[in-house]
Amino acid sequence: MTNPASRRAAMARTATRTATRTATRTATRTAALAALGAALLAGGCMSPNALADVQGQLNQAADAVNDIRVNMSMMQETIDSLKIVVARQDTTISRLANATGVQVVK
C-alpha cells in the first residue's frame, strides 16, 4: 500500500500540472485573440489603394481558378473520348482474333 503522504504529494503534483496547463491554455487563447484583434484593426485601417490592389489580386486568382476548371473540363472530355476509342479498338481486336482463331490475353 502507498503512504497517505505520498498520495497527497502525487495529488498536489497533479493539481499543479493541471493548473499550469490551464494557465498556459488561457495565455495562448489570450495571445491568439490579441493577434486576431490586431489583425482586424490593421485590416480596417488599410488605405483605399491597398484595398484596390488586394481586390485586383483576388480577381486575378479567381480568373486563374476558372481557367484551371476549364482546362480540367477539357482534359476530362479528352479522356472520355480516348476511353471510347480504346473500347472500339479492343472490340475490333477481339473480333479479328475470334475470326482468325488467335488467343488474345487481356
Side-chain angles (χ1 to χ4, degrees):
M1 293 201 164
T2 58
N3 185 346
S6 65
R7 279 190 202 164
R8 277 188 239 122
M11 288 173 49
R13 282 192 299 269
T14 303
T16 302
R17 285 185 201 131
T18 303
T20 303
R21 286 184 199 139
T22 303
T24 303
R25 287 181 192 143
T26 302
T28 303
R29 287 180 191 151
T30 303
L33 287 175
L36 179 62
L40 288 174
L41 286 175
C45 298
M46 291 179 68
S47 69
N49 290 337
L51 289 174
D53 290 341
V54 169
Q55 182 66 30
Q57 291 173 353
L58 288 174
N59 285 337
Q60 289 175 355
D63 291 343
V65 168
N66 192 36
D67 289 344
I68 290 170
R69 286 183 183 156
V70 169
N71 286 338
M72 290 197 52
S73 173
M74 289 172 40
M75 285 190 283
Q76 187 62 49
E77 288 175 12
T78 302
I79 289 170
D80 292 343
S81 174
L82 289 172
K83 285 180 181 178
I84 292 170
V85 169
V86 168
R88 285 182 185 158
Q89 289 176 351
D90 188 44
T91 302
T92 303
I93 291 171
S94 297
R95 287 181 182 169
L96 286 171
N98 285 337
T100 58
V102 176
Q103 292 286 334
V104 177
V105 178
K106 293 185 181 182

